[in-house]
Amino acid sequence: MEQEGKGEVSSGIYTYNHHCDNGFDIHEIFVKRSRFRVLLSYIGMVFLLASVSRPFLSEDKLSPGSSVWSITFGILVAKCLQYKPVKKESVVIMPTFGVQLEIHFWSGRVHRRFVPLGKVLKPLLNECVTPVTCYWSLSLLLCDEEELMLVFQKSRPPVKMLVPVWKALGKFLNSECQTCSAVSEPGSQT
Amino acid sequence: MDGDGKRHRILMVSDFFFPNFGGVESHIYYLSQCLLKLGHKVVVMTHAYGSRSGVRYVTGGLKVYYVPWKPFLMQNTLPTLFLTFPIVRTILIREKISVVHGHQAFSTLCHEALMHARTMGYKVVFTDHSLYGFADAGSIHMNKVLQFTLADFDQAICVSHTSKENTVLRSGISPQKVFMVPNAVDTAMFTPSPERLSCDEIVIVVISRLVYRKGADLLVEVIPEVCRLFPKVRFIVGGDGPKRVRLEEMREKFSLQDRVEMLGAVPHAQVRSVLISGHIFLNSSLTEAFCIAILEAASCGLLTVSTRVGGVPEVLPDDMIVLAQPAPEDMVRAVKKAIDMLPGIDPQMKKLYSWDDVAKRTEIVYDRAMQSSKTDLLERLPRYLTCGAWAGKLFCLVMIINYLLWCLLEYLQPTEGIEEVPDIRLVYAHLESVNDMCRIQSEGN
């Protein structure tokens, strides 16, 4: 396997890495796992187990209604505290094919989405506003789709890490467009 | 903070902005555009309107934050006191704001943003656009909130001398800190008709929301009397509201269908075309801090008849307006006087007010605000104690909690972690080069 041009930038819990591999341009964002969130998720699981086992272990017989409510509450708390840590999110730019977006979890699971070249119109740096904050995100404007596709779905890396990915996507799309127009130009010599 | 000489970075905050339409909204928009032309950076913060949420760039590169807080009453955001602190802080830091300018006493988002900005040490300016009473329960509460906001502020702006007097009395602030900067009119949009109208038939135009506050009940009394006394007069009434039914009933009762034309709601883009079809503009408002409507009418060359309320007498010179008491008899007398004056007036547009002038005067207010000294929490708290025996202590408690919340936010999300937004300026040179290319291509053909 060939690896070229390793660039790494760290900021807070995110680390950006860029390298080329067999002609593919790979941009990766690594996310540090939060020990506090892991602890909270274990607390949620323990709370759920306690809620489920309380009706069986309790000496006083509890009514079925209150048992259901306590189990439901336990499920809700466990769900809120659930933590599926993301190890890294990567953008693999495959010349002439398209872009593959990957999410790698610490559990080993990998979620992949492939976007063909012809479907991508433009990469966009977008400012997202929530009721409590405002942050940058990188999205793809897709052909025949009303909604933008987020490139990094699970993480919010800083804009200085998004810019090189945005530029690489833009350069990739421009070069592919120029290649297509050169091929389709009448009277062009090959 | 301001680092480019006198270039300010202004955050305009209000619950009232486009796509909602009104006087405050227009004021913020036109003032922002003129401040951008003067070289300042302007960002607007308001709440989301339906699906319009997030960051938008409007004309001139004006950036607008539509924060997804839903309005709960009369376009106002739900007052939460502290929950808006995180988003306000984020916007202030990422846009590198130097002065926060809040608009309209009735806007809860404005009051909260100004409170958070003062806690963080930013300079604040407040503009009051309306007149409020002193006696009813709503006004008493509103005035208390205004007292709280203006207890620790840098400068305030009012749109007329009457409004300044009203604001000073309601909030108990020093008059030296209140500037009077009037509203203006878009002179490019509101121009007189190129052809002078014939005086064979006198057309009186009324364009306003048909609500109690705008004197719709007065119109019901005035219109039939004027039509009876002057057979050559007819009315054009534009606007909608709960009082429209009364006007329709009046038309039916006095059989004035051919002399009173009801247009319904008139989009702002069509207001000028309605105005230039008339000779006289009739305003029957019961209260007005300034009244941009009569300014627009005068800019279109109409003679104005208006009630003598609030700041209206300050808006136009005597040769362009006839004032009357808000009573039907006096208004009919004023209409008669206006009809007699009509042949002698010159409907040419006169240079009245301009938004460029308003922006320059507002810039002076910003400069004055930036010169005020920095104060910490302990120096600011005594200012709130003057708000009342119990209210003062409550306000101090609110500011202390706000300060602690700020410390917590600084710990959870340090300022260094909030990325600053690059300044995006419009590239006017690109547009000129495009025009040159078009010219070259056309010459080549």
Side-chain angles (χ1 to χ4, degrees), chain B residues 141-430:
Chain B
H141 286 98
M142 175 59 61
N143 295 343
K144 211 63 187 174
V145 171
L146 188 67
Q147 229 182 345
F148 167 65
T149 299
L150 297 185
D152 180 30
F153 76 112
D154 293 296
Q155 305 293 338
I157 298 173
C158 291
V159 294
S160 63
H161 293 289
T162 307
S163 177
K164 175 176 173 177
E165 187 184 351
N166 183 259
T167 300
V168 166
L169 287 172
R170 279 161 46 219
S171 59
I173 56 176
S174 165
Q176 280 79 24
K177 281 191 164 185
V178 185
F179 287 76
M180 200 292 281
V181 180
N183 278 322
V185 64
D186 186 356
T187 49
M189 192 171 169
F190 292 95
T191 53
S193 171
E195 295 167 4
R196 190 163 179 162
L197 292 175
S198 159
C199 284
D200 295 335
E201 186 184 53
I202 308 292
V203 179
I204 300 179
V205 176
V206 178
I207 297 184
S208 81
R209 281 178 294 137
L210 301 177
V211 295
Y212 166 74
R213 200 169 154 264
K214 294 294 182 182
D217 295 305
L218 268 178
L219 286 178
V220 172
E221 308 286 329
V222 167
I223 290 176
E225 190 60 19
V226 169
C227 288
R228 186 183 70 82
L229 290 172
F230 305 101
K232 287 187 184 174
V233 167
R234 69 180 181 90
F235 282 83
I236 296 177
V237 179
D240 206 348
K243 295 289 182 179
R244 185 176 174 177
V245 172
R246 287 206 67 195
L247 283 162
E248 299 278 7
E249 286 172 355
M250 176 269 299
R251 261 193 359 157
E252 295 287 330
K253 183 178 173 185
F254 295 96
S255 303
L256 295 173
Q257 290 87 345
D258 57 339
R259 296 186 65 189
V260 177
E261 186 182 351
M262 303 285 293
L263 299 177
V266 178
H268 192 250
Q270 294 171 17
V271 165
R272 187 236 171 205
S273 59
V274 175
L275 286 172
I276 59 172
S277 64
H279 301 83
I280 295 172
F281 181 78
L282 179 61
N283 174 57
S284 55
S285 296
L286 301 180
T287 174
E288 285 284 0
F290 184 81
C291 200
I292 293 183
I294 61 175
L295 203 54
E296 291 170 350
S299 191
C300 288
L302 276 72
L303 181 61
T304 302
V305 175
S306 175
T307 44
R308 189 194 300 272
V309 292
V312 169
E314 302 174 34
V315 177
L316 292 175
D318 292 336
D319 61 334
M320 297 177 74
I321 188 168
V322 180
L323 295 169
Q325 295 302 318
E329 304 80 22
D330 211 37
M331 290 195 68
V332 172
R333 176 204 59 79
V335 169
K336 179 182 183 308
K337 184 179 173 187
I339 292 172
D340 294 337
M341 282 170 67
L342 258 184
I345 66 159
D346 179 10
Q348 295 305 311
M349 186 183 73
K350 297 181 185 179
K351 289 195 188 301
L352 292 167
Y353 302 81
S354 79
W355 283 109
D356 292 311
D357 178 59
V358 170
K360 285 194 185 118
R361 290 164 76 163
T362 308
E363 193 182 30
I364 294 171
V365 179
Y366 294 149
D367 293 339
R368 187 72 68 88
M370 294 302 292
Q371 286 167 11
S372 55
S373 55
K374 284 186 186 179
T375 49
D376 60 14
L377 179 68
L378 289 176
E379 288 170 352
R380 288 172 32 233
L381 282 179
R383 299 177 188 174
Y384 294 98
L385 288 174
T386 58
C387 294
W390 288 103
K393 295 177 179 62
L394 180 63
F395 294 161
C396 281
L397 181 62
V398 167
M399 290 312 290
I400 290 169
I401 294 172
N402 210 39
Y403 182 83
L404 293 173
L405 182 60
W406 179 45
C407 295
L408 179 64
L409 287 173
E410 287 279 306
Y411 173 72
L412 292 176
Q413 190 183 25
T415 305
E416 298 76 32
I418 299 175
E419 297 171 297
E420 292 176 355
V421 173
D423 284 342
I424 300 172
R425 293 173 190 258
L426 284 187
V427 183
Y428 291 104
H430 170 69

